[in-house]
Amino acid sequence: MPFDFGQRRVFVTGGSSGIGRAIAEAFARAGAQVIASGIDQADLAASAASAPWPEGVRLCELDVTSDKSVDAAFGTLESLDILVNAAGIIQRDGVEHTPSGFARTIDVNLNGMMRTCLAARAKLASSSQSGGASVVNVASMLSYFGSPFVPGYSASKGGVVQLTKSLAAAWAGEGIRVNAVAPGWIRTPLTAALQADDNRARPILDRTPMRRWGLPEEVAPAVLFLSSPEAAFITGAVLNIDGGYSAF
Ligand code: NAI
């Protein structure tokens, strides 16, 4: 990994699993002190049991829909240089076509992101990181495309891009850069049901020029780049990591 995040403190929401975990591990391997959060103790225990964590990672419980939980997780931090918002849910089988299901997905994926950004703001503004403090939000291909199956997810991820651009403009003067990555279809627990169902997986792979699922480890390097001093003039950007899915 060509990045050096020694002395840097990083918070990864949704860091217990999938894309967030790969990002947390990559930062730790690059020398950072990392806090990786998961929704509850059971989730954190499953995460720790699934594979050993590298040195430099501390696990923490965080529910981004709860102001109290967000205050508890961020209020006690001494300092923070980088925030990665990877916490997210998708609710299939018609759930997001109900008012409560729709609202729940928006609350986790979009409102939750704003909650953590606001909770981290003052500490990020005090960061001495060369090139500025960094927020990286995880968007999606459904930031661009609608979905007949998961309207809440799609609306939330469209919102993630606009939130990213808005905070980039609002916080540039405080030395905080705000960017997003938009992964294509990645092998994680969130897409397990799709991977297991050939009728649903085939159209995804047919539409992806590289004809395969992406890996969480293939998303992480872009997040490290966007958070590094090499990206000092990049803010408000959305970087697609999608095997070409959005190219045509
Ligand atoms: P995952 O299911 O492996 O991980 C989700 C993470 O979010 C877990 O750490 C979980 O504890 C956390 N989480 C769930 N609800 C939470 C809450 N209320 N408060 C705090 N944390 C909560 O999923 P995956 O695939 O790693 O997804 C990570 C992010 O990447 C999500 O934002 C997802 O929308 C996004 N994404 C995933 C894609 C994929 O193909 N897997 C594609 C594009 C975006």
Side-chain angles (χ1 to χ4, degrees):
M1 184 63 67
F3 298 107
D4 178 5
F5 285 98
Q7 314 297 319
R8 296 295 156 219
R9 285 177 187 247
V10 182
F11 198 117
V12 184
T13 78
S16 63
S17 175
I19 292 171
R21 177 167 181 152
I23 293 167
E25 291 190 358
F27 271 116
R29 276 193 232 98
Q33 292 298 310
V34 181
I35 299 172
S37 75
I39 173 80
D40 55 26
Q41 287 301 332
D43 178 62
L44 294 175
S47 175
S50 68
W53 279 91
E55 253 180 61
V57 182
R58 180 164 74 76
L59 298 182
C60 136
E61 192 176 338
L62 168 66
D63 179 350
V64 297
T65 67
S66 156
D67 288 327
K68 200 172 151 205
S69 176
V70 171
D71 286 350
F74 286 87
T76 51
L77 295 182
E78 245 173 63
S79 64
L80 189 65
D81 303 294
I82 294 159
L83 169 65
V84 180
N85 284 304
I89 59 167
I90 195 165
Q91 300 184 93
R92 299 192 177 87
D93 303 320
V95 174
E96 293 182 4
H97 281 279
T98 66
S100 62
F102 183 88
R104 169 78 188 157
T105 300
I106 297 280
D107 201 27
V108 176
N109 294 4
L110 182 58
N111 299 341
M113 186 175 280
M114 184 59 169
R115 282 190 194 94
T116 58
C117 284
L118 290 172
R121 177 182 180 179
K123 279 162 186 140
L124 291 170
S126 303
S127 165
S128 61
Q129 179 172 232
S130 159
S134 163
V135 177
V136 179
N137 297 324
V138 181
S140 163
M141 287 300 105
L142 296 186
S143 297
Y144 310 125
F145 305 114
S147 163
F149 308 114
V150 284
Y153 186 84
S154 191
S156 73
K157 292 296 180 178
V160 163
V161 166
Q162 295 308 326
L163 176 61
T164 299
K165 293 178 180 177
S166 299
L167 293 184
W171 294 356
E174 296 171 35
I176 305 172
R177 297 182 298 102
V178 187
N179 293 292
V181 291
W185 302 87
I186 311 293
R187 269 193 201 286
T188 72
L190 189 115
T191 54
L194 301 180
Q195 295 168 49
D197 181 346
D198 199 43
N199 288 329
R200 295 161 83 187
R202 198 176 315 109
I204 290 170
L205 296 179
D206 283 349
R207 164 129 194 218
T208 303
M210 295 185 81
R211 295 282 186 272
R212 66 173 177 85
W213 294 83
L215 302 174
E217 296 74 22
E218 294 175 311
V219 177
V223 176
L224 270 65
F225 165 68
L226 288 171
S227 300
S228 75
E230 275 70 34
F233 198 52
I234 302 179
T235 196
V238 184
L239 180 51
N240 298 336
I241 306 161
D242 65 349
Y245 185 92
S246 59
F248 72 104

